Amino acid sequence: MDSNLDPWGSSQVKDYKKMREEFGIEPFDFNLSGNKMAIRNLIVGQRDFWRIKKAMDRKDKFAAMTGLMPSGEMHLGSKAIIEQMIYFQQKGAEAHIAVADLESYATRNIPLEKARAIAIENFLLNYIALGLKKCNFYFQSTSSRIQKFAFVLSKEVTFSEMKAIYGFDDSKRMLEINSPLIQASDILSPQIYGEAMPTIVPIGADQDPHLRVTRDISGRMNIIKTRKNEDGLTFSIGGSGDPEPFFQIIKKATAGLNIRIKKINTKYRTIEVEKYGEDLYDLETAISRMERGLNPNNTLAPSSLIMRLETGIRGGKMSKSVPDSTISLNEDPGEAEKKIRKALTGGRENVEEQKKLGGNPYICPVFELYLYHLSSEESDLKRVEDECKSGARLCGACKMEASDLMKALLVGLKEKRESSRHMVKEFLENE
Ligand code: TRP
Ligand code: SF4
């Protein structure tokens, strides 16, 4: 099993740099105006985000995709993903949200009917309350096109690959082995049932294995495969059919962008082209459009944005399986206050020391509450941080302030959920 990226486990990633190096994830260094998590450095990695940035800058069509596990309450840790979905929706993305009820049936034993109620009451209503607008919201269990495409793409993956990625052993049930493929189908579906387009999938670091599988599958289903070499690109034509129509596509696309062809090798079915620089986006878009005409399974590799996982209030990962460490968006405000009172902090042994030496906000779960949820302005956040470090802020008072802000947040959400209930029907119109 990948040491620290287990989609069904409860480990907390400690060193994101190491994670990036181990799994070939790129650091995030884009300027995303108005994206609170980007500004606060809570995006710890990405795959092919350049393509999304380009689509946004050009106002091209692109998709944003996520899925939710309807296995319990929606908690604070899952709020980050949906905030990103809302951000990209506001930037023009076509938003798609899968209720992963087949996955929760497979891995958490949740009956489908129950999953449905949870998905609507605990998730969809909160999504709307947080600002999500009408999108493609669907259930894996009732979507025959998702299931059908999962079946089609399962042709591309062997059991030994699944074992290597997920650590499955021979005793795994077929159901569990299959469920990541349903998710791959979710992620590619905006393109398969629409047009090939950049797709952003905001995820927690623990979901990266799913993205790797899906990106591999996307590449395998494309007939024209693109690879960077030292000074340009190499295209190779997959399969055993006549490569000529695909050579034609590459010639046409490169000619359109004045990219020079260096070498055509008919035996090995490859074409090498020289430098492409800034043209890569246009080149792959043109090629993909043309390949689509010959291959309905052509897609662009989905991109990901990897969010830093929020620490639980009592340390560890913020997860549904540790209720004391987690605050749900439907939580009673009084309960939330009790949990925050018992939170771990980055404070010192005693008040004197804290006043003298200051606290450490960077290891403090209470500070994370401000960072992720409670401070809406950068200046507020900075004030908490500075006061903590200088010793001007003591943990007791800091927790009180956090509780008050959290209560206001929860009460506000509750009101919005109630006033948004009439919108649920609109989101479920395809059901
Ligand atoms: N596996 C995800 C989770 O555990 C849920 C999910 C299903 C998903 N389909 C998806 C996430 C597509 C991103 C994209 O929460
Ligand atoms: Fe954490 Fe607040 Fe204590 Fe600082 S003062 S360590 S932010 S609880």
Side-chain angles (χ1 to χ4, degrees), residues 50-51 54 58 60 196 222 224-228 231-235 246-261 271-292 298-300:
W50 65 272
R51 196 177 281 139
K54 203 88 177 187
R58 300 243 187 126
D60 278 357
N222 291 345
I224 300 174
K225 309 186 195 290
T226 313
R227 188 161 35 86
K228 289 185 187 174
D231 54 354
L233 292 173
T234 305
F235 297 102
F246 299 98
F247 281 162
Q248 288 305 330
I249 289 176
I250 296 164
K251 286 180 191 163
K252 216 161 146 191
T254 47
L257 292 162
N258 279 324
I259 296 173
R260 199 174 67 84
I261 292 186
I271 295 190
E272 279 173 43
V273 305
E274 69 179 7
K275 285 204 177 43
Y276 51 89
E278 280 296 296
D279 296 331
L280 185 57
Y281 178 88
D282 299 294
L283 187 56
E284 67 170 20
T285 309
I287 289 179
S288 177
R289 288 228 168 96
M290 288 189 263
E291 183 179 323
R292 247 315 160 98
N298 173 276
T299 52
L300 293 171

Side-chain angles (χ1 to χ4, degrees), residues 345-347 354 359-361 364 366-367 384 388 393-395 398-399:
T345 71
Q354 177 118 350
N360 183 355
C364 176
V366 180
F367 183 69
V384 176
C388 172
R393 176 173 278 262
L394 297 177
C395 296
C398 184
K399 284 178 172 181

